[in-house]
Amino acid sequence: MRLLALHTALVVLLCHLSAVRSWGLAGHQIVATIAQTQLHPLVRQHLCSILPNFTQYPSIWPSSPQGRPNTHCHLAVLAGWPDNVRFRLPWSSKLHYVNPTDDHPPQHCTYGEAGWTSDDNILHAMVNYTQRLTTETGYERDLALRFLVHFFGDAHQPLHLTGRARGGNDIWVHFEGRKSKLHSVWDGLLLNKQVRQLANYTSRLPSPRIESGLRGDVYDPYIRWILKEGLGQPAIKGQEPLGWFTNEAPEWPSCGTEAGRGLVVQQTGQSVFNDQDPSAVDDTDLPICPYYWTKPMHPLVCEYAFAHPVPEWEPPSDDLEGGVPEHPPSPPPPRLPLPELDTPEYLGRIDADKVIQRQLAKAGVRLAAVLNTLLLDEATRAVGGIMPVDWLDEGRS
Ligand SMILES: *[C@@H]1O[C@H](CO)[C@@H](O)[C@H](O)[C@H]1NC(C)=O
Ligand SMILES: *[C@@H]1O[C@H](CO)[C@@H](O)[C@H](O)[C@H]1NC(C)=O
Ligand SMILES: *[C@@H]1O[C@H](CO)[C@@H](O)[C@H](O)[C@H]1NC(C)=O
């Protein structure tokens, strides 16, 4: 009886905590945590020379050659920080999204063909902060990494890729009976519901790499689920990893061929910035291509986010700057009943097609790939080239 009461109190407390917590934050932390589990161990350790020391977590892996317990610095700790400062740093506000010109989902979907409403957008920001991660030092480098982690998350939230009704911020709907903005449904409520409903993966996976990347959070089982059933990690010894995304995931970090990216290359071999070519933003030496990556994701806006029964209504003066609100949201349309989105027709499709899980996994895998590519040499030099033993094989037992 006593135990039951304690259990109930705990459940109530946990529910309370998760209601208070911003799930926009959870999405960012999940992306960062998935990335953390995919980092090379030396890169993971090396993050401590970039991030502040309060991001440190004890690591049960890799064990150092000297047998000392290691710590590593965790990307998730500061993953939400750019949202906290977007009003204090107003210039950063527009960098969380991109608004393609002439995009009006679901009737008319364009992504870059007609340009962008502003060049201060997430595509350029991702390139900029990737570059700065390699050139800045000290606090500036720390900031570059914080922004980068955050923008990888935002770029994989489909409603950050459209300006219609300010990325769905002006469209009111019901989700699980509660009034909400369409944007918030996608920022957190869908994910919140999936996390809440997951009953398995509460115990540890046999992978120290994965387990030492988790932080004891309410969404840990959800991350294990995506890693195990989505990416097939850790693999069973002697078997090919099998998962929902096993076939596509190896291609996620790829930027395709230069021809595929439509690079504009002058005869001198010098690339030029070309306003008319949306893929010009990818034209860098960096292991990053935000346009190439996000273009195939933009149809999610038309096919899922603005799908029936999302109302056609939007404010009369469609704010072209769009994205996430810089002023209070418009009031809902008078007398229109708000449609419920927690239905088999709307949410059922998103769940069945693993839309949310795929976006989070993609963002995490890509972020880790970029950090591994940019930081491995530096991280290896920092430890004098001493590699942890057997790190590639871990978990395969
Ligand atoms: C973290 O860094 C600050 C400032 O350099 C220092 O004062 C503090 O002692 C450090 N804390 C830990 C736990 O290392
Ligand atoms: C990044 O953006 C800032 C602010 O607009 C600019 O000053 C800086 O030169 C850019 N850096 C790179 C590498 O693009
Ligand atoms: C875990 O739960 C999810 C969602 O309910 C389900 O799809 C999956 O098959 C379960 N996995 C295992 C191993 O029980």
Side-chain angles (χ1 to χ4, degrees):
M1 201 55 198
R2 255 242 194 95
L3 257 180
L4 186 66
L6 181 64
H7 181 252
T8 312
L10 250 176
V11 168
V12 169
L13 181 68
L14 284 176
C15 291
H16 187 66
L17 280 179
S18 42
V20 168
R21 140 173 276 134
S22 146
W23 285 92
L25 178 60
H28 284 290
Q29 293 183 340
I30 289 172
V31 166
T33 304
I34 291 174
Q36 191 84 17
T37 68
Q38 309 296 304
L39 290 176
H40 188 287
L42 291 181
V43 171
R44 196 156 127 162
Q45 216 169 302
H46 193 61
L47 291 179
C48 290
S49 70
I50 304 176
L51 294 171
N53 61 8
F54 62 79
T55 63
Q56 274 188 14
Y57 272 73
S59 175
I60 55 170
W61 179 88
S63 58
S64 77
Q66 296 80 25
R68 278 184 282 112
N70 279 303
T71 56
H72 59 93
C73 287
H74 208 295
L75 296 171
V77 178
L78 286 163
W81 176 84
D83 275 340
N84 301 340
V85 298
R86 57 187 301 171
F87 298 103
R88 208 163 6 112
L89 308 176
W91 54 265
S92 73
S93 189
K94 282 177 153 194
L95 305 182
H96 292 243
Y97 54 86
V98 62
N99 292 340
T101 305
D102 286 347
D103 183 38
H104 191 92
Q107 292 85 4
H108 189 223
C109 280
T110 54
Y111 191 69
E113 293 89 338
W116 318 105
T117 62
S118 165
D119 276 342
D120 287 337
N121 62 45
I122 194 166
L123 307 180
H124 286 110
M126 285 170 83
V127 171
N128 187 303
Y129 284 111
T130 305
Q131 181 74 55
R132 280 154 83 169
L133 184 61
T134 67
T135 54
E136 300 284 1
T137 55
Y139 184 57
E140 292 298 323
R141 196 180 194 202
D142 167 19
L143 293 194
L145 182 53
R146 298 181 195 191
F147 275 116
L148 199 57
V149 170
H150 189 85
F151 292 155
F152 264 82
D154 277 347
H156 288 76
Q157 204 280 56
L159 285 177
H160 283 245
L161 304 178
T162 185
R164 179 176 162 208
R166 295 190 300 129
N169 270 297
D170 287 332
I171 295 183
W172 291 90
V173 295
H174 272 146
F175 191 79
E176 298 188 288
R178 287 200 188 156
K179 192 175 131 189
S180 168
K181 294 184 264 182
L182 180 64
H183 190 93
S184 309
V185 169
W186 280 78
D187 253 2
L189 300 183
L190 294 171
L191 175 60
N192 185 345
K193 182 168 186 192
Q194 291 181 346
V195 169
R196 240 189 305 119
Q197 288 190 331
L198 194 69
N200 51 27
Y201 290 101
T202 50
S203 51
R204 300 166 76 97
L205 292 175
S207 161
R209 171 172 60 86
I210 291 172
E211 290 301 327
S212 69
L214 302 178
R215 297 185 308 140
D217 228 311
V218 63
Y219 47 69
D220 284 356
Y222 188 76
I223 294 176
R224 291 192 188 106
W225 183 40
I226 291 180
L227 291 175
K228 181 71 190 143
E229 295 188 38
L231 296 174
Q233 299 171 345
I236 297 166
K237 201 170 197 159
Q239 281 180 23
E240 283 300 303
L242 267 186
W244 321 315
F245 311 133
T246 314
N247 290 333
E248 55 182 289
E251 288 304 312
W252 287 346
S254 159
C255 285
T257 61
E258 294 207 349
R261 279 159 61 185
L263 286 193
V264 184
V265 181
Q266 284 182 325
Q267 292 205 311
T268 58
Q270 280 289 318
S271 329
V272 291
F273 181 76
N274 179 348
D275 265 346
Q276 305 305 309
D277 176 6
S279 68
V281 66
D282 293 346
D283 188 5
T284 75
D285 294 335
L286 302 167
I288 182 172
C289 43
Y291 175 73
Y292 181 82
W293 286 342
T294 51
K295 178 149 177 65
M297 303 181 328
H298 183 259
L300 298 175
V301 176
C302 290
E303 290 166 23
Y304 295 91
F306 279 98
H308 187 76
V310 170
E312 262 313 298
W313 182 87
E314 59 194 274
S317 61
D318 198 5
D319 178 356
L320 276 185
E321 292 304 330
V324 189
E326 277 151 35
H327 46 81
S330 321
R335 287 187 297 278
L336 271 184
L338 301 181
E340 171 62 52
L341 296 187
D342 182 18
T343 60
E345 180 195 20
Y346 189 87
L347 178 61
R349 279 177 66 228
I350 294 168
D351 276 346
D353 297 345
K354 305 271 185 322
V355 172
I356 305 294
Q357 295 92 327
R358 179 183 281 101
Q359 291 306 101
L360 295 168
K362 262 188 185 178
V365 164
R366 283 173 170 163
L367 173 59
V370 168
L371 297 181
N372 284 335
T373 306
L374 291 181
L375 301 176
L376 184 56
D377 280 353
E378 182 185 323
T380 308
R381 278 197 306 276
V383 294
I386 301 168
M387 202 66 79
V389 197
D390 282 351
W391 68 274
L392 271 175
D393 252 7
E394 73 84 31
R396 292 178 183 244
S397 54

